[in-house]
Amino acid sequence: DTAVSQTPKYLVTQMGNDKSIKCEQNLGHDTMYWYKQDSKKFLKIMFSYNNKELIINETVPNRFSPKSPDKAHLNLHINSLELGDSAVYFCASSQERRLTYEQYFGPGTRLTVT
Amino acid sequence: GEDVEQSLFLSVREGDSSVINCTYTDSSSTYLYWYKQEPGAGLQLLTYIFSNMDMKQDQRLTVLLNKKDKHLSLRIADTQTGDSAIYFCAEKIYNQGGKLIFGQGTELSVKP
């Protein structure tokens, strides 16, 4: 069974459009994350939610808005897409009570903005 | 500040040992992790070490931590072609929730 899943796997869209990426985890974790991996493979955290509450919000344009309808889901909506948003976006989850904070990653969504 | 550095490439022959190195700057790291990313895939957690440990062994993987020098290494014994991937080290900073700081990744190429 897939632990952390993301949809879609690939997303090609034009500049100025609005798009969403969905993430679901079936691990029973209470914390979920969004990461962005650029073309040089550099991985940087964007957001983190714990029990539907935003706890990490890195310096990310406000065109990016995460939404967590419940503990098992964390979606990422992006408004007015720009060329620089092209990247692979990874969702991850962890259990905060486990002090090791092992994070489990989804397969990624490759976003291409043309 | 928060910074994690890795060399970008490593090439080894099948059957040899691979050693991937990582340095970090934040002395308040609590846990350090190694992740593996195969082409087109997500990150797979390989192993982690608590900051008060020096070494951790898990089958073919050995993690060494030198806290004084802020240096972390991952040794893969008997490297196989299936080990070819990008390896990321990451640190968890004390009191910043689950935030992980990742290195740039080391691309390991295993030649037959």
Side-chain angles (χ1 to χ4, degrees):
Chain A
D1 279 345
T2 304
V4 182
S5 59
Q6 295 179 228
T7 53
K9 189 165 171 63
Y10 300 96
L11 185 52
V12 181
T13 188
Q14 291 185 325
M15 280 174 58
N17 284 348
D18 303 338
K19 290 293 178 187
S20 291
I21 308 171
K22 297 189 176 187
C23 177
E24 177 180 1
Q25 55 95 3
N26 63 5
L27 297 165
H29 288 165
D30 57 8
T31 306
M32 296 183 72
Y33 311 80
W34 277 110
Y35 286 86
K36 179 180 180 181
Q37 186 175 45
D38 64 22
S39 58
K40 294 182 179 172
K41 303 294 185 187
F42 183 64
L43 199 66
K44 188 166 168 42
I45 191 166
M46 300 172 70
F47 301 103
S48 168
Y49 269 74
N50 175 263
N51 284 316
K52 302 195 296 175
E53 182 184 341
L54 181 67
I55 54 171
I56 294 175
N57 185 352
E58 293 292 289
T59 308
V60 176
N62 57 14
R63 298 182 295 104
F64 289 78
S65 52
K67 283 188 173 48
S68 181
D70 55 58
K71 276 193 333 180
H73 296 85
L74 179 62
N75 303 322
L76 183 65
H77 188 76
I78 315 170
N79 288 328
S80 303
L81 278 154
E82 299 176 358
L83 292 177
D85 298 332
S86 294
V88 182
Y89 292 85
F90 287 101
C91 176
S93 73
S94 70
Q95 180 65 294
E96 188 181 8
R97 282 193 299 278
R98 281 182 63 87
L99 295 178
T100 52
Y101 275 98
E102 299 144 62
Q103 293 185 19
Y104 294 86
F105 282 73
T109 295
R110 183 175 292 276
L111 171 65
T112 304
V113 183
T114 62
Chain B
E2 305 163 349
D3 197 18
V4 179
E5 301 258 338
Q6 299 176 239
S7 52
L8 294 181
F9 300 100
L10 177 65
S11 181
V12 300
R13 292 232 170 258
E14 194 172 19
D16 288 349
S17 291
S18 309
V19 180
I20 303 171
N21 294 301
C22 172
T23 56
Y24 58 97
T25 56
D26 200 310
S27 55
S28 64
S29 297
T30 54
Y31 285 91
L32 295 124
Y33 307 82
W34 283 104
Y35 282 86
K36 176 184 180 183
Q37 185 179 30
E38 296 183 8
L43 277 73
Q44 173 195 353
L45 178 64
L46 288 178
T47 186
Y48 61 88
I49 188 167
F50 186 42
S51 58
N52 70 353
M53 295 171 63
D54 298 325
M55 186 181 95
K56 181 178 181 182
Q57 188 149 3
D58 186 359
Q59 299 181 333
R60 291 192 298 124
L61 305 179
T62 303
V63 179
L64 295 178
L65 175 59
N66 181 328
K67 197 170 181 181
K68 175 174 165 287
D69 294 339
K70 298 190 183 70
H71 182 266
L72 180 74
S73 68
L74 174 70
R75 179 176 179 271
I76 305 173
D78 187 25
T79 314
Q80 302 298 306
T81 53
D83 295 324
S84 293
I86 299 177
Y87 290 79
F88 291 91
C89 72
E91 60 171 345
K92 177 185 164 335
I93 309 298
Y94 174 72
N95 222 22
Q96 289 196 32
K99 179 178 174 181
L100 296 184
I101 308 297
F102 281 84
Q104 316 95 300
T106 299
E107 184 173 346
L108 174 65
S109 174
V110 182
K111 299 186 185 319

